[in-house]
Amino acid sequence: MMLAIFWSREFLLSRPFLWLLFIVNFFGTVYGYIWYESQLAATLETHPVWQIVFVPDSPTASLFFTIALLYFLFPPKRSNGLVTILRYIIEGLAVVCSVKYGIWAVSMIVAGAWQGSELNWQHYMLMASHLGMAFEALLFFRFMKAGAVSLIVATGWLLLNDTVDYTYGIFPYLADQLYDDLDAVRAFTYGLSFFSLAAGLLVWRFRKKV
């Protein structure tokens, strides 16, 4: 009974819960960009400026979801075509990016630990928060306006990000033990982009039936 209440539309879209979720994601996003500070600085020193936008993957995914929450908190009273398209794109990005990078971060931490990398409390915190990213995105996609086309467009962004990351070497820092498996990491990363699309489409298909 209690689980059904927490799973219900009324609870999930209640303003107190939405505000709590917004605050958690907002500060998580800020922390994420701070986490990437050293890599952002190194990229600016050694790479063209345009590549900087492709560096902070997880916090950018969290940023998209945080913005998407604002549509629930402050539903537009009037929306023209451009505003609606922008909302669809942001929601699509919020879903596929959160699922992809939520799973990716946990997978890389576990893979590094499997090969001997030492785990500390930050790793466990990151695994919990990134799993939460993936879960909340799929959970709230049921209530979003975006559909299949938005997910496909957003996946195009993921694939572009993957290509820039592994062509120019600006992918997120890995455990030292994983750099000799970079080809496998690259393949996994690309595959996860398509998996995220499939997960989003599955929820979208279910949403259409309810």
Side-chain angles (χ1 to χ4, degrees), residues 35-36 39 55-59 61 96-112 126-127 130-131 133-134 158 162 165-166 170-175 178-179 181-193 195-196:
W35 178 274
Y36 271 90
Q39 187 172 359
V55 173
D57 295 335
S58 293
V96 297
C97 292
S98 295
V99 172
K100 190 251 182 79
Y101 294 117
I103 296 174
W104 187 92
V106 175
S107 300
M108 292 303 106
I109 292 172
V110 171
L126 287 172
M127 285 192 286
H130 281 77
L131 284 177
M133 280 175 54
L158 285 182
D162 295 342
D165 276 359
Y166 292 93
I170 58 170
F171 50 86
Y173 291 151
L174 301 168
L178 293 179
Y179 280 94
D181 299 314
L182 195 55
D183 288 342
V185 171
R186 181 192 299 113
F188 176 76
T189 302
Y190 273 101
L192 203 51
S193 292
F195 172 84
S196 301

Side-chain angles (χ1 to χ4, degrees), residues 36-198:
Y36 271 90
E37 182 179 7
S38 61
Q39 187 172 359
L40 287 168
T43 302
L44 283 174
E45 290 179 1
T46 58
H47 293 267
V49 174
W50 66 268
Q51 293 179 15
I52 199 72
V53 70
F54 297 98
V55 173
D57 295 335
S58 293
T60 301
S62 178
L63 176 63
F64 288 136
F65 185 78
T66 303
I67 296 172
L69 288 173
L70 290 176
Y71 289 114
F72 294 117
L73 287 165
F74 305 101
K77 295 181 178 179
R78 293 182 180 179
S79 298
N80 58 39
L82 183 60
V83 172
T84 300
I85 291 173
L86 180 62
R87 176 176 184 173
Y88 287 179
I89 291 174
I90 289 175
E91 289 182 344
L93 288 166
V95 173
V96 297
C97 292
S98 295
V99 172
K100 190 251 182 79
Y101 294 117
I103 296 174
W104 187 92
V106 175
S107 300
M108 292 303 106
I109 292 172
V110 171
W114 182 266
Q115 295 196 29
S117 176
E118 184 176 350
L119 296 182
N120 56 41
W121 68 269
Q122 288 180 313
H123 291 109
Y124 293 106
M125 179 271 293
L126 287 172
M127 285 192 286
S129 62
H130 281 77
L131 284 177
M133 280 175 54
F135 178 74
E136 68 182 5
L138 292 176
L139 182 63
F140 274 84
F141 186 44
R142 299 180 298 155
F143 313 126
M144 293 180 182
K145 302 293 185 183
V149 174
S150 303
L151 295 176
I152 293 170
V153 171
T155 302
W157 165 260
L158 285 182
L159 294 173
L160 173 62
N161 200 340
D162 295 342
T163 301
V164 173
D165 276 359
Y166 292 93
T167 299
Y168 299 102
I170 58 170
F171 50 86
Y173 291 151
L174 301 168
D176 293 341
Q177 292 82 352
L178 293 179
Y179 280 94
D180 59 351
D181 299 314
L182 195 55
D183 288 342
V185 171
R186 181 192 299 113
F188 176 76
T189 302
Y190 273 101
L192 203 51
S193 292
F194 291 106
F195 172 84
S196 301
L197 171 61

